[in-house]
Amino acid sequence: MDEDERYYWHLRSVDNEEVPRFPPTNMVEPLTASSLLQLYLNTFVAANLAEACVFPLDVAKTRMQVDGEQARKTGAGMATFRATFGNMVRAEGFKSLYAGFSAMVTRNLVFNSMRVVLYDVFRRPFLHVNERNEEVLRIHLALGCGFTAGCIAQALANPFDIVKVRMQTEGRRRQLGYEARVSNMVQAFVDIYRHGGPAGMWKGVGPSCMRACLMTAGDVGSYDVSKRTFKRLLELEDGLQLRFLSSMCAGLAASVLSNPADVIKSRMMNQPVDESGRNLYYRNSIECVRKLVREEGPLTLYKGLMPTWFRLGPFSVLFWLSVEQLRQWEGQAGF
């Protein structure tokens, strides 16, 4: 307000005047080549740290999903997760719990690092500041960015996924009396290329990409939105409690969304091929879904859900806590 010569007070607008304003809250780190490289490396390190703890659950989950084929042929009942896990240790030893881990490490360099970096790039145009001076991202846009980032990353990493599934199921094949197909990652790549050619390296890319789309939307997108939401509603600082709650929500969302596509992916990738490289069980993903629902029931699409959640839940927590801690040590803002 201004005081004139008659000692009257008059209101004046401040819209056009330079006044100090607080910066928006929940701001992300500025996008630079250096920050993207740091994020890429941080996610690679964090993914491998998390996988080292939960990888046996991934092996058991894959075994349960592909064992449905053998159970259907013999009429036997499906083994539980506990029985599958115990049988692997008794019959094949502790080493079987980490079958395919070398392929997983290589896959993390392509898939996990790429999906988070691409999501960070894709979300930038959709970030906006609301009336409370908070930088926000709408849920459907976050899930859409995660969906797209997961699809691109998995399309590039698909050969490593096939190798991982093959190596994880070799122990079961030996138990059933079949000839071993692979014993290491390089041999697996050579064997897949010899029998299927370049197209064999991308067998099952459809359900594989669908699973990656849903998982990335549920994991990365949900983590981003959950973190912003909990921070606002619970008034939490960007620390361990906020990151833990957000990553728990992300793991649950990723498990529920991705499990049906994960079952289809495992069946498509594990099926044998004839001499010309054609699939022997399912011609495509649609036929795979039809046969699974018709012959094993619709609930078979959620076969292995509990080990999937037991794996993705802890993985998501360990992964995001590691990523955020690495960023904090480097002096960067939270993701």
Side-chain angles (χ1 to χ4, degrees):
M1 291 187 295
D2 294 321
E3 184 182 11
D4 62 14
E5 62 278 3
R6 299 177 183 177
Y7 299 101
Y8 286 101
W9 295 94
H10 301 279
L11 295 176
R12 57 188 173 90
S13 174
V14 298
D15 290 341
N16 298 322
E17 297 189 15
E18 294 295 332
V19 294
R21 296 180 63 87
F22 293 105
T25 59
N26 295 349
M27 287 288 290
V28 298
E29 193 81 13
L31 190 63
T32 64
S34 176
S35 66
L36 287 179
L37 178 60
Q38 284 181 299
L39 180 60
Y40 194 95
L41 296 177
N42 288 343
T43 51
F44 174 66
V45 172
N48 288 321
L49 289 174
E51 287 290 1
C53 298
V54 302
F55 191 75
L57 301 176
D58 185 60
V59 179
K61 174 211 68 177
T62 303
R63 288 288 186 90
M64 288 184 67
Q65 291 172 347
V66 300
D67 279 354
E69 295 171 349
Q70 186 66 25
R72 187 185 67 227
K73 294 176 183 177
T74 61
M78 277 295 301
T80 63
F81 171 70
R82 182 178 178 181
T84 300
F85 199 90
N87 179 63
M88 289 170 56
V89 176
R90 287 192 304 270
E92 305 167 45
F94 180 80
K95 186 179 179 181
S96 66
L97 299 179
Y98 282 87
F101 189 73
S102 57
M104 175 61 80
V105 172
T106 309
R107 177 180 179 269
N108 284 336
L109 182 62
V110 180
F111 174 69
N112 271 307
S113 295
M114 183 67 69
R115 70 183 180 124
V116 177
V117 168
L118 289 177
Y119 174 83
D120 192 27
V121 174
F122 293 159
R123 70 173 173 170
R124 299 286 173 150
F126 304 112
L127 295 170
H128 67 279
V129 179
N130 64 10
E131 65 279 0
R132 292 186 296 272
N133 203 37
E134 299 171 333
E135 189 178 67
V136 297
L137 178 63
R138 294 182 178 177
I139 296 176
H140 69 282
L141 295 176
L143 297 180
C145 291
F147 193 92
T148 306
C151 182
I152 297 173
Q154 180 57 38
L156 297 174
N158 198 74
F160 302 100
D161 230 0
I162 297 178
V163 171
K164 177 180 72 73
V165 172
R166 290 282 181 91
M167 294 178 70
Q168 287 176 340
T169 56
E170 277 304 297
R172 181 58 174 164
R173 284 178 56 84
R174 295 189 183 97
Q175 288 185 42
L176 296 174
Y178 295 118
E179 181 182 355
R181 292 182 294 188
V182 297
S183 59
N184 57 65
M185 186 175 67
V186 176
Q187 183 184 1
F189 272 113
V190 173
D191 181 73
I192 294 169
Y193 184 83
R194 181 186 298 121
H195 290 90
M201 305 298 290
W202 273 267
K203 183 173 69 173
V205 68
S208 182
C209 282
M210 180 55 65
R211 173 189 176 272
C213 290
L214 295 171
M215 189 188 73
T216 305
D219 182 29
V220 186
S222 293
Y223 178 79
D224 190 7
V225 173
S226 297
K227 188 177 177 183
R228 296 172 186 274
T229 303
F230 287 139
K231 189 173 184 178
R232 183 181 72 253
L233 297 180
L234 303 181
E235 299 182 352
L236 296 175
E237 296 295 328
D238 190 357
L240 182 60
Q241 185 178 7
L242 176 61
R243 297 166 185 173
F244 180 80
L245 288 173
S246 303
S247 57
M248 284 290 290
C249 291
L252 178 59
S255 301
V256 173
L257 288 175
S258 67
N259 199 83
D262 196 24
V263 173
I264 298 168
K265 182 205 74 170
S266 295
R267 293 291 184 90
M268 289 291 295
M269 288 184 171
N270 189 62
Q271 67 176 321
V273 296
D274 60 18
E275 295 181 354
S276 61
R278 290 179 299 183
N279 298 329
L280 295 180
Y281 294 163
Y282 319 107
R283 288 176 297 176
N284 51 54
S285 302
I286 296 177
E287 184 181 30
C288 181
V289 173
R290 288 175 178 171
K291 283 190 174 182
L292 289 178
V293 173
R294 183 176 63 250
E295 299 176 4
E296 302 177 44
L299 290 181
T300 195
L301 295 176
Y302 276 93
K303 191 174 294 179
L305 176 60
M306 291 308 294
T308 296
W309 186 34
F310 290 159
R311 173 191 175 274
L312 281 182
F315 173 85
S316 186
V317 171
L318 293 171
F319 174 74
W320 286 112
L321 291 182
S322 299
V323 169
E324 296 279 26
Q325 187 60 56
L326 289 170
R327 291 173 67 87
Q328 184 175 328
W329 285 342
E330 295 166 354
Q332 299 185 67
F335 184 79

